[in-house]
Amino acid sequence: MTINDLRCDGCGRYLASPDETVRFTFHPGVPELRDDSGLACSPCWSRLTAGHDRDAEPGCCASCPAPAPRRQSLHVRRSDDPQAWRLCAVHAVEFLNSLRTVTPKLDPATFRFPGQ
Ligand SMILES: [Zn+2]
Ligand SMILES: [Zn+2]
């Protein structure tokens, strides 16, 4: 593990203590493409997931009423919480593009889920 692994994916701040660190994991409906290296400080996690309703209707986007079928959505969860929520393409791109480690940024016009 390098020092880079301990920086917040939102603001880039060095995360010194596990208490202020939220680990998160996400995949685009294809478990082999899971990324479980997400790290954020608590304020950034709140900002990144603002508007995400973790108790949204199953099969729906957590951020809007759009359907979010299993292989056409981004599945997001905190590493310490087994309950994931789903994001439609629009909100998946918004979420991913707000992560510092996602480069180059995704183009919402051409974005497709790999399982689509
Ligand atoms: Zn942060
Ligand atoms: Zn949505």
Side-chain angles (χ1 to χ4, degrees):
M1 183 183 269
T2 67
I3 222 82
N4 279 334
D5 294 322
L6 295 171
R7 286 187 183 274
C8 170
D9 227 347
C11 63
R13 186 160 77 86
Y14 176 66
L15 295 165
S17 129
D19 298 342
E20 58 175 359
T21 305
V22 177
R23 290 179 181 274
F24 60 97
T25 165
F26 53 92
H27 70 81
V30 181
E32 301 80 69
L33 297 177
R34 179 190 308 276
D35 185 332
D36 56 8
S37 64
L39 274 183
C41 66
S42 303
C44 282
W45 177 249
S46 304
R47 183 172 54 78
L48 291 166
T49 58
H52 293 185
D53 176 5
R54 124 189 215 299
D55 298 315
E57 202 70 26
C60 282
C61 176
S63 200
C64 74
R70 196 171 69 84
R71 293 175 75 85
Q72 290 174 42
S73 57
L74 189 73
H75 301 234
V76 186
R77 68 178 179 85
R78 283 179 71 123
S79 302
D80 59 3
D81 182 345
Q83 190 178 332
W85 59 91
R86 297 181 185 184
L87 296 173
C88 69
V90 172
H91 290 108
V93 168
E94 189 180 279
F95 175 75
L96 292 169
N97 279 351
S98 64
L99 301 180
R100 214 170 41 87
T101 49
V102 173
T103 50
K105 295 302 177 195
L106 304 164
D107 180 353
T110 56
F111 177 78
R112 295 286 178 277
F113 287 107
Q116 206 162 331

PDB file of all heavy atoms in Angstrom, residues 59-89:
ATOM      1  N   GLY A  59     -34.092  -2.146  -7.623  1.00  0.00           N
ATOM      2  CA  GLY A  59     -34.187  -2.026  -9.074  1.00  0.00           C
ATOM      3  C   GLY A  59     -34.354  -0.609  -9.564  1.00  0.00           C
ATOM      4  O   GLY A  59     -34.497  -0.375 -10.752  1.00  0.00           O
ATOM      5  N   CYS A  60     -34.339   0.332  -8.634  1.00  0.00           N
ATOM      6  CA  CYS A  60     -34.441   1.744  -9.027  1.00  0.00           C
ATOM      7  C   CYS A  60     -33.175   2.487  -8.612  1.00  0.00           C
ATOM      8  O   CYS A  60     -32.498   2.102  -7.670  1.00  0.00           O
ATOM      9  CB  CYS A  60     -35.629   2.418  -8.353  1.00  0.00           C
ATOM     10  SG  CYS A  60     -37.182   2.024  -9.131  1.00  0.00           S
ATOM     11  N   CYS A  61     -32.900   3.557  -9.341  1.00  0.00           N
ATOM     12  CA  CYS A  61     -31.797   4.430  -8.975  1.00  0.00           C
ATOM     13  C   CYS A  61     -32.062   5.022  -7.592  1.00  0.00           C
ATOM     14  O   CYS A  61     -33.204   5.356  -7.270  1.00  0.00           O
ATOM     15  CB  CYS A  61     -31.665   5.537 -10.015  1.00  0.00           C
ATOM     16  SG  CYS A  61     -30.406   6.764  -9.607  1.00  0.00           S
ATOM     17  N   ALA A  62     -31.013   5.148  -6.788  1.00  0.00           N
ATOM     18  CA  ALA A  62     -31.167   5.697  -5.435  1.00  0.00           C
ATOM     19  C   ALA A  62     -31.262   7.216  -5.462  1.00  0.00           C
ATOM     20  O   ALA A  62     -31.517   7.842  -4.443  1.00  0.00           O
ATOM     21  CB  ALA A  62     -29.984   5.269  -4.575  1.00  0.00           C
ATOM     22  N   SER A  63     -31.062   7.805  -6.640  1.00  0.00           N
ATOM     23  CA  SER A  63     -31.006   9.255  -6.707  1.00  0.00           C
ATOM     24  C   SER A  63     -32.125   9.864  -7.546  1.00  0.00           C
ATOM     25  O   SER A  63     -32.320  11.065  -7.545  1.00  0.00           O
ATOM     26  CB  SER A  63     -29.647   9.664  -7.273  1.00  0.00           C
ATOM     27  OG  SER A  63     -29.343  10.981  -6.952  1.00  0.00           O
ATOM     28  N   CYS A  64     -32.832   9.028  -8.307  1.00  0.00           N
ATOM     29  CA  CYS A  64     -33.941   9.510  -9.129  1.00  0.00           C
ATOM     30  C   CYS A  64     -34.863   8.320  -9.384  1.00  0.00           C
ATOM     31  O   CYS A  64     -34.513   7.187  -9.067  1.00  0.00           O
ATOM     32  CB  CYS A  64     -33.417  10.104 -10.447  1.00  0.00           C
ATOM     33  SG  CYS A  64     -32.839   8.872 -11.630  1.00  0.00           S
ATOM     34  N   PRO A  65     -36.042   8.537  -9.949  1.00  0.00           N
ATOM     35  CA  PRO A  65     -36.977   7.415 -10.127  1.00  0.00           C
ATOM     36  C   PRO A  65     -36.633   6.476 -11.292  1.00  0.00           C
ATOM     37  O   PRO A  65     -37.375   5.523 -11.536  1.00  0.00           O
ATOM     38  CB  PRO A  65     -38.332   8.115 -10.383  1.00  0.00           C
ATOM     39  CG  PRO A  65     -38.097   9.570 -10.124  1.00  0.00           C
ATOM     40  CD  PRO A  65     -36.640   9.816 -10.308  1.00  0.00           C
ATOM     41  N   ALA A  66     -35.524   6.700 -11.990  1.00  0.00           N
ATOM     42  CA  ALA A  66     -35.187   5.876 -13.152  1.00  0.00           C
ATOM     43  C   ALA A  66     -34.958   4.419 -12.746  1.00  0.00           C
ATOM     44  O   ALA A  66     -34.435   4.153 -11.668  1.00  0.00           O
ATOM     45  CB  ALA A  66     -33.928   6.417 -13.822  1.00  0.00           C
ATOM     46  N   PRO A  67     -35.368   3.474 -13.620  1.00  0.00           N
ATOM     47  CA  PRO A  67     -35.053   2.075 -13.332  1.00  0.00           C
ATOM     48  C   PRO A  67     -33.550   1.849 -13.386  1.00  0.00           C
ATOM     49  O   PRO A  67     -32.847   2.507 -14.149  1.00  0.00           O
ATOM     50  CB  PRO A  67     -35.770   1.303 -14.450  1.00  0.00           C
ATOM     51  CG  PRO A  67     -36.058   2.291 -15.516  1.00  0.00           C
ATOM     52  CD  PRO A  67     -36.067   3.659 -14.881  1.00  0.00           C
ATOM     53  N   ALA A  68     -33.067   0.927 -12.562  1.00  0.00           N
ATOM     54  CA  ALA A  68     -31.640   0.618 -12.528  1.00  0.00           C
ATOM     55  C   ALA A  68     -31.486  -0.899 -12.501  1.00  0.00           C
ATOM     56  O   ALA A  68     -31.247  -1.487 -11.452  1.00  0.00           O
ATOM     57  CB  ALA A  68     -30.992   1.271 -11.308  1.00  0.00           C
ATOM     58  N   PRO A  69     -31.661  -1.542 -13.677  1.00  0.00           N
ATOM     59  CA  PRO A  69     -31.507  -3.003 -13.736  1.00  0.00           C
ATOM     60  C   PRO A  69     -30.110  -3.411 -13.286  1.00  0.00           C
ATOM     61  O   PRO A  69     -29.165  -2.627 -13.392  1.00  0.00           O
ATOM     62  CB  PRO A  69     -31.710  -3.335 -15.217  1.00  0.00           C
ATOM     63  CG  PRO A  69     -32.335  -2.124 -15.823  1.00  0.00           C
ATOM     64  CD  PRO A  69     -31.911  -0.948 -14.981  1.00  0.00           C
ATOM     65  N   ARG A  70     -29.996  -4.653 -12.838  1.00  0.00           N
ATOM     66  CA  ARG A  70     -28.771  -5.112 -12.209  1.00  0.00           C
ATOM     67  C   ARG A  70     -27.513  -4.832 -13.024  1.00  0.00           C
ATOM     68  O   ARG A  70     -26.514  -4.348 -12.502  1.00  0.00           O
ATOM     69  CB  ARG A  70     -28.873  -6.626 -11.932  1.00  0.00           C
ATOM     70  CG  ARG A  70     -27.837  -7.139 -10.952  1.00  0.00           C
ATOM     71  CD  ARG A  70     -28.133  -8.573 -10.569  1.00  0.00           C
ATOM     72  NE  ARG A  70     -27.929  -9.486 -11.685  1.00  0.00           N
ATOM     73  CZ  ARG A  70     -26.748  -9.996 -12.021  1.00  0.00           C
ATOM     74  NH1 ARG A  70     -25.691  -9.693 -11.318  1.00  0.00           N
ATOM     75  NH2 ARG A  70     -26.643 -10.812 -13.046  1.00  0.00           N
ATOM     76  N   ARG A  71     -27.575  -5.133 -14.330  1.00  0.00           N
ATOM     77  CA  ARG A  71     -26.373  -4.966 -15.158  1.00  0.00           C
ATOM     78  C   ARG A  71     -26.334  -3.614 -15.867  1.00  0.00           C
ATOM     79  O   ARG A  71     -25.494  -3.387 -16.734  1.00  0.00           O
ATOM     80  CB  ARG A  71     -26.284  -6.107 -16.174  1.00  0.00           C
ATOM     81  CG  ARG A  71     -26.031  -7.450 -15.470  1.00  0.00           C
ATOM     82  CD  ARG A  71     -26.067  -8.607 -16.449  1.00  0.00           C
ATOM     83  NE  ARG A  71     -24.860  -8.665 -17.272  1.00  0.00           N
ATOM     84  CZ  ARG A  71     -23.742  -9.271 -16.902  1.00  0.00           C
ATOM     85  NH1 ARG A  71     -23.658  -9.870 -15.735  1.00  0.00           N
ATOM     86  NH2 ARG A  71     -22.716  -9.303 -17.698  1.00  0.00           N
ATOM     87  N   GLN A  72     -27.277  -2.761 -15.543  1.00  0.00           N
ATOM     88  CA  GLN A  72     -27.258  -1.428 -16.139  1.00  0.00           C
ATOM     89  C   GLN A  72     -27.329  -0.375 -15.049  1.00  0.00           C
ATOM     90  O   GLN A  72     -28.083   0.586 -15.121  1.00  0.00           O
ATOM     91  CB  GLN A  72     -28.436  -1.264 -17.102  1.00  0.00           C
ATOM     92  CG  GLN A  72     -28.272  -2.111 -18.349  1.00  0.00           C
ATOM     93  CD  GLN A  72     -29.512  -2.061 -19.222  1.00  0.00           C
ATOM     94  OE1 GLN A  72     -30.087  -1.003 -19.408  1.00  0.00           O
ATOM     95  NE2 GLN A  72     -29.928  -3.200 -19.736  1.00  0.00           N
ATOM     96  N   SER A  73     -26.527  -0.617 -14.017  1.00  0.00           N
ATOM     97  CA  SER A  73     -26.489   0.344 -12.923  1.00  0.00           C
ATOM     98  C   SER A  73     -25.161   0.179 -12.203  1.00  0.00           C
ATOM     99  O   SER A  73     -24.496  -0.851 -12.321  1.00  0.00           O
ATOM    100  CB  SER A  73     -27.653   0.100 -11.954  1.00  0.00           C
ATOM    101  OG  SER A  73     -27.624  -1.227 -11.464  1.00  0.00           O
ATOM    102  N   LEU A  74     -24.802   1.225 -11.480  1.00  0.00           N
ATOM    103  CA  LEU A  74     -23.617   1.151 -10.630  1.00  0.00           C
ATOM    104  C   LEU A  74     -24.082   0.769  -9.232  1.00  0.00           C
ATOM    105  O   LEU A  74     -25.015   1.365  -8.704  1.00  0.00           O
ATOM    106  CB  LEU A  74     -22.908   2.509 -10.600  1.00  0.00           C
ATOM    107  CG  LEU A  74     -21.534   2.497  -9.914  1.00  0.00           C
ATOM    108  CD1 LEU A  74     -20.506   1.807 -10.807  1.00  0.00           C
ATOM    109  CD2 LEU A  74     -21.083   3.916  -9.597  1.00  0.00           C
ATOM    110  N   HIS A  75     -23.451  -0.268  -8.682  1.00  0.00           N
ATOM    111  CA  HIS A  75     -23.799  -0.734  -7.348  1.00  0.00           C
ATOM    112  C   HIS A  75     -22.771  -0.166  -6.374  1.00  0.00           C
ATOM    113  O   HIS A  75     -21.585  -0.389  -6.548  1.00  0.00           O
ATOM    114  CB  HIS A  75     -23.770  -2.269  -7.291  1.00  0.00           C
ATOM    115  CG  HIS A  75     -24.709  -2.909  -8.273  1.00  0.00           C
ATOM    116  ND1 HIS A  75     -25.664  -3.824  -7.892  1.00  0.00           N
ATOM    117  CD2 HIS A  75     -24.856  -2.741  -9.609  1.00  0.00           C
ATOM    118  CE1 HIS A  75     -26.357  -4.199  -8.966  1.00  0.00           C
ATOM    119  NE2 HIS A  75     -25.879  -3.565 -10.013  1.00  0.00           N
ATOM    120  N   VAL A  76     -23.244   0.561  -5.398  1.00  0.00           N
ATOM    121  CA  VAL A  76     -22.351   1.250  -4.461  1.00  0.00           C
ATOM    122  C   VAL A  76     -22.700   0.846  -3.042  1.00  0.00           C
ATOM    123  O   VAL A  76     -23.868   0.723  -2.698  1.00  0.00           O
ATOM    124  CB  VAL A  76     -22.527   2.794  -4.562  1.00  0.00           C
ATOM    125  CG1 VAL A  76     -21.502   3.505  -3.693  1.00  0.00           C
ATOM    126  CG2 VAL A  76     -22.432   3.264  -5.999  1.00  0.00           C
ATOM    127  N   ARG A  77     -21.666   0.628  -2.230  1.00  0.00           N
ATOM    128  CA  ARG A  77     -21.930   0.447  -0.800  1.00  0.00           C
ATOM    129  C   ARG A  77     -20.700   0.807   0.020  1.00  0.00           C
ATOM    130  O   ARG A  77     -19.586   0.808  -0.491  1.00  0.00           O
ATOM    131  CB  ARG A  77     -22.385  -0.978  -0.490  1.00  0.00           C
ATOM    132  CG  ARG A  77     -21.320  -2.044  -0.668  1.00  0.00           C
ATOM    133  CD  ARG A  77     -21.867  -3.415  -0.276  1.00  0.00           C
ATOM    134  NE  ARG A  77     -20.886  -4.450  -0.462  1.00  0.00           N
ATOM    135  CZ  ARG A  77     -19.947  -4.778   0.450  1.00  0.00           C
ATOM    136  NH1 ARG A  77     -19.871  -4.123   1.591  1.00  0.00           N
ATOM    137  NH2 ARG A  77     -19.084  -5.737   0.197  1.00  0.00           N
ATOM    138  N   ARG A  78     -20.961   1.127   1.270  1.00  0.00           N
ATOM    139  CA  ARG A  78     -19.857   1.263   2.220  1.00  0.00           C
ATOM    140  C   ARG A  78     -19.310  -0.115   2.486  1.00  0.00           C
ATOM    141  O   ARG A  78     -20.067  -1.073   2.584  1.00  0.00           O
ATOM    142  CB  ARG A  78     -20.380   1.825   3.548  1.00  0.00           C
ATOM    143  CG  ARG A  78     -20.656   3.292   3.572  1.00  0.00           C
ATOM    144  CD  ARG A  78     -21.179   3.666   4.938  1.00  0.00           C
ATOM    145  NE  ARG A  78     -20.124   3.587   5.930  1.00  0.00           N
ATOM    146  CZ  ARG A  78     -19.746   4.597   6.719  1.00  0.00           C
ATOM    147  NH1 ARG A  78     -20.365   5.750   6.631  1.00  0.00           N
ATOM    148  NH2 ARG A  78     -18.777   4.462   7.583  1.00  0.00           N
ATOM    149  N   SER A  79     -18.000  -0.230   2.630  1.00  0.00           N
ATOM    150  CA  SER A  79     -17.396  -1.545   2.846  1.00  0.00           C
ATOM    151  C   SER A  79     -17.876  -2.180   4.145  1.00  0.00           C
ATOM    152  O   SER A  79     -17.878  -3.393   4.282  1.00  0.00           O
ATOM    153  CB  SER A  79     -15.880  -1.434   2.834  1.00  0.00           C
ATOM    154  OG  SER A  79     -15.462  -0.894   1.599  1.00  0.00           O
ATOM    155  N   ASP A  80     -18.283  -1.351   5.109  1.00  0.00           N
ATOM    156  CA  ASP A  80     -18.722  -1.907   6.393  1.00  0.00           C
ATOM    157  C   ASP A  80     -20.236  -2.086   6.461  1.00  0.00           C
ATOM    158  O   ASP A  80     -20.797  -2.310   7.516  1.00  0.00           O
ATOM    159  CB  ASP A  80     -18.239  -1.010   7.545  1.00  0.00           C
ATOM    160  CG  ASP A  80     -18.758   0.423   7.432  1.00  0.00           C
ATOM    161  OD1 ASP A  80     -19.529   0.723   6.500  1.00  0.00           O
ATOM    162  OD2 ASP A  80     -18.390   1.250   8.285  1.00  0.00           O
ATOM    163  N   ASP A  81     -20.902  -1.956   5.325  1.00  0.00           N
ATOM    164  CA  ASP A  81     -22.358  -2.069   5.298  1.00  0.00           C
ATOM    165  C   ASP A  81     -22.731  -2.970   4.117  1.00  0.00           C
ATOM    166  O   ASP A  81     -22.409  -2.652   2.973  1.00  0.00           O
ATOM    167  CB  ASP A  81     -22.961  -0.669   5.112  1.00  0.00           C
ATOM    168  CG  ASP A  81     -24.489  -0.672   5.131  1.00  0.00           C
ATOM    169  OD1 ASP A  81     -25.087  -1.762   4.999  1.00  0.00           O
ATOM    170  OD2 ASP A  81     -25.064   0.413   5.257  1.00  0.00           O
ATOM    171  N   PRO A  82     -23.376  -4.108   4.364  1.00  0.00           N
ATOM    172  CA  PRO A  82     -23.654  -5.040   3.272  1.00  0.00           C
ATOM    173  C   PRO A  82     -24.692  -4.520   2.283  1.00  0.00           C
ATOM    174  O   PRO A  82     -24.816  -5.044   1.174  1.00  0.00           O
ATOM    175  CB  PRO A  82     -24.174  -6.297   3.983  1.00  0.00           C
ATOM    176  CG  PRO A  82     -24.632  -5.829   5.331  1.00  0.00           C
ATOM    177  CD  PRO A  82     -23.821  -4.611   5.673  1.00  0.00           C
ATOM    178  N   GLN A  83     -25.435  -3.480   2.648  1.00  0.00           N
ATOM    179  CA  GLN A  83     -26.497  -3.031   1.753  1.00  0.00           C
ATOM    180  C   GLN A  83     -25.996  -2.053   0.702  1.00  0.00           C
ATOM    181  O   GLN A  83     -25.527  -0.965   1.023  1.00  0.00           O
ATOM    182  CB  GLN A  83     -27.639  -2.386   2.546  1.00  0.00           C
ATOM    183  CG  GLN A  83     -28.853  -2.134   1.651  1.00  0.00           C
ATOM    184  CD  GLN A  83     -30.020  -1.545   2.432  1.00  0.00           C
ATOM    185  OE1 GLN A  83     -30.155  -1.785   3.619  1.00  0.00           O
ATOM    186  NE2 GLN A  83     -30.854  -0.794   1.754  1.00  0.00           N
ATOM    187  N   ALA A  84     -26.111  -2.479  -0.557  1.00  0.00           N
ATOM    188  CA  ALA A  84     -25.701  -1.631  -1.667  1.00  0.00           C
ATOM    189  C   ALA A  84     -26.910  -0.857  -2.187  1.00  0.00           C
ATOM    190  O   ALA A  84     -28.044  -1.223  -1.927  1.00  0.00           O
ATOM    191  CB  ALA A  84     -25.116  -2.483  -2.782  1.00  0.00           C
ATOM    192  N   TRP A  85     -26.636   0.211  -2.896  1.00  0.00           N
ATOM    193  CA  TRP A  85     -27.699   0.876  -3.638  1.00  0.00           C
ATOM    194  C   TRP A  85     -27.247   1.013  -5.078  1.00  0.00           C
ATOM    195  O   TRP A  85     -26.075   0.820  -5.394  1.00  0.00           O
ATOM    196  CB  TRP A  85     -28.096   2.214  -3.014  1.00  0.00           C
ATOM    197  CG  TRP A  85     -27.002   3.226  -2.893  1.00  0.00           C
ATOM    198  CD1 TRP A  85     -26.663   4.180  -3.810  1.00  0.00           C
ATOM    199  CD2 TRP A  85     -26.100   3.395  -1.779  1.00  0.00           C
ATOM    200  NE1 TRP A  85     -25.604   4.922  -3.318  1.00  0.00           N
ATOM    201  CE2 TRP A  85     -25.252   4.476  -2.099  1.00  0.00           C
ATOM    202  CE3 TRP A  85     -25.955   2.725  -0.555  1.00  0.00           C
ATOM    203  CZ2 TRP A  85     -24.250   4.903  -1.216  1.00  0.00           C
ATOM    204  CZ3 TRP A  85     -24.959   3.161   0.304  1.00  0.00           C
ATOM    205  CH2 TRP A  85     -24.117   4.237  -0.026  1.00  0.00           C
ATOM    206  N   ARG A  86     -28.209   1.291  -5.963  1.00  0.00           N
ATOM    207  CA  ARG A  86     -27.898   1.344  -7.391  1.00  0.00           C
ATOM    208  C   ARG A  86     -28.056   2.751  -7.928  1.00  0.00           C
ATOM    209  O   ARG A  86     -28.904   3.503  -7.460  1.00  0.00           O
ATOM    210  CB  ARG A  86     -28.859   0.426  -8.155  1.00  0.00           C
ATOM    211  CG  ARG A  86     -28.723  -1.025  -7.758  1.00  0.00           C
ATOM    212  CD  ARG A  86     -29.687  -1.865  -8.567  1.00  0.00           C
ATOM    213  NE  ARG A  86     -29.671  -3.256  -8.135  1.00  0.00           N
ATOM    214  CZ  ARG A  86     -30.356  -4.217  -8.731  1.00  0.00           C
ATOM    215  NH1 ARG A  86     -31.122  -3.934  -9.781  1.00  0.00           N
ATOM    216  NH2 ARG A  86     -30.295  -5.450  -8.290  1.00  0.00           N
ATOM    217  N   LEU A  87     -27.227   3.047  -8.933  1.00  0.00           N
ATOM    218  CA  LEU A  87     -27.328   4.346  -9.596  1.00  0.00           C
ATOM    219  C   LEU A  87     -27.540   4.120 -11.090  1.00  0.00           C
ATOM    220  O   LEU A  87     -26.874   3.276 -11.704  1.00  0.00           O
ATOM    221  CB  LEU A  87     -26.054   5.160  -9.373  1.00  0.00           C
ATOM    222  CG  LEU A  87     -25.759   5.561  -7.909  1.00  0.00           C
ATOM    223  CD1 LEU A  87     -24.390   6.219  -7.821  1.00  0.00           C
ATOM    224  CD2 LEU A  87     -26.845   6.487  -7.361  1.00  0.00           C
ATOM    225  N   CYS A  88     -28.448   4.876 -11.673  1.00  0.00           N
ATOM    226  CA  CYS A  88     -28.666   4.845 -13.122  1.00  0.00           C
ATOM    227  C   CYS A  88     -27.432   5.446 -13.807  1.00  0.00           C
ATOM    228  O   CYS A  88     -26.552   6.005 -13.148  1.00  0.00           O
ATOM    229  CB  CYS A  88     -29.930   5.630 -13.476  1.00  0.00           C
ATOM    230  SG  CYS A  88     -29.758   7.408 -13.213  1.00  0.00           S
ATOM    231  N   ALA A  89     -27.388   5.350 -15.136  1.00  0.00           N
ATOM    232  CA  ALA A  89     -26.216   5.831 -15.887  1.00  0.00           C
ATOM    233  C   ALA A  89     -25.895   7.290 -15.556  1.00  0.00           C
ATOM    234  O   ALA A  89     -24.740   7.640 -15.300  1.00  0.00           O
ATOM    235  CB  ALA A  89     -26.450   5.655 -17.386  1.00  0.00           C
TER     236      ALA A  89
END
